[in-house]
């Protein structure tokens, strides 16, 4: 029986890149904040995602969504208004090599160059995972941010 051919390096690198992608969010729900006569209403939507490298952590992010005609067509730029809450939802298993600072979630908030990003930091001194949500623009960053912390303790 012949041994399988080794995978080409570009294919292997592509597979590794997909495995390192930030978490994908699942929509929990939305609340209308302003009614619009034409197009979608303005709203705040909540999404949940799991930390891809630290099992036992679930984060929820709420974000403002622009309605109206431009929002309905996907052309609106959502405001940099969001909130973040991360909690232990199972046993936490820290990987052997946890980066001190790593992007774990990104979501576009405009057609061009704006996103909400969640970065995980490890506070080794206090044995705490720190999650920071920020708004990013390609040209300049926005000061909007939100923070949530999860102490790493035993699970009962």
């Amino acid at each position: 029986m012949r041994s399988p051919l080794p995978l080409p390096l570009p294919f292997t690198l592509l597979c590794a890149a997909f495995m390192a992608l930030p978490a994908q969010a699942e929509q929990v729900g939305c609340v209308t904040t302003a009614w619009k006569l034409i197009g979608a209403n303005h709203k705040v939507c909540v999404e949940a995602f799991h930390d891809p490298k630290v099992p036992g952590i679930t984060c929820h992010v709420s974000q403002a969504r622009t309605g109206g005609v431009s929002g309905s067509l996907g052309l609106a730029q959502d405001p940099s208004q969001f909130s973040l809450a991360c909690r232990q939802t199972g046993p936490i298993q820290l990987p052997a090599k946890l980066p001190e600072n790593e992007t774990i979630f990104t979501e576009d908030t405009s057609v061009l160059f704006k996103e909400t990003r969640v970065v995980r930091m490890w506070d080794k001194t206090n044995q705490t995972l720190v999650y920071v949500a920020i708004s990013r623009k390609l040209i300049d960053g926005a000061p909007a941010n939100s923070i949530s912390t999860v102490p790493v303790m035993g699970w009962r």
Side-chain angles (χ1 to χ4, degrees):
M1 182 173 210
R2 296 174 61 187
S3 64
L5 294 174
L7 294 174
L9 185 58
F11 179 77
T12 305
L13 293 174
L14 183 63
C15 289
F18 277 115
M19 291 179 7
L21 288 177
Q24 296 297 314
E26 169 184 315
Q27 187 163 357
V28 174
C30 297
V31 176
T32 296
T33 58
W35 185 80
K36 300 296 285 182
L37 181 61
I38 299 174
N41 293 332
H42 294 314
K43 55 190 167 186
V44 171
C45 294
V46 177
E47 296 175 312
F49 62 93
H50 301 280
D51 187 320
K53 288 193 179 170
V54 183
I57 302 290
T58 303
C59 295
H60 291 86
V61 62
S62 66
Q63 298 188 83
R65 303 276 187 220
T66 302
V69 174
S70 60
S72 296
L73 297 174
L75 302 174
Q77 178 168 297
D78 292 331
S80 298
Q81 299 171 352
F82 46 81
S83 182
L84 175 70
C86 298
R87 300 292 184 264
Q88 181 175 3
T89 54
I92 294 176
Q93 300 171 358
L94 293 177
K97 292 185 178 181
L98 185 67
E100 288 183 24
N101 188 323
E102 182 176 22
T103 298
I104 64 162
F105 174 78
T106 60
E107 184 168 71
D108 291 335
T109 52
S110 75
V111 176
L112 296 172
F113 313 123
K114 186 176 174 189
E115 69 181 4
T116 297
R117 180 181 294 178
V118 177
V119 176
R120 178 197 347 93
M121 299 176 193
W122 173 236
D123 177 357
K124 187 175 181 178
T125 303
N126 296 299
Q127 295 291 295
T128 301
L129 293 163
V130 179
Y131 295 87
V132 180
I134 57 173
S135 176
R136 299 278 298 166
K137 291 183 181 181
L138 182 63
I139 297 171
D140 61 355
N145 67 83
S146 182
I147 187 171
S148 186
T149 61
V150 180
V152 177
M153 304 179 332
W155 180 256
R156 33 182 179 137

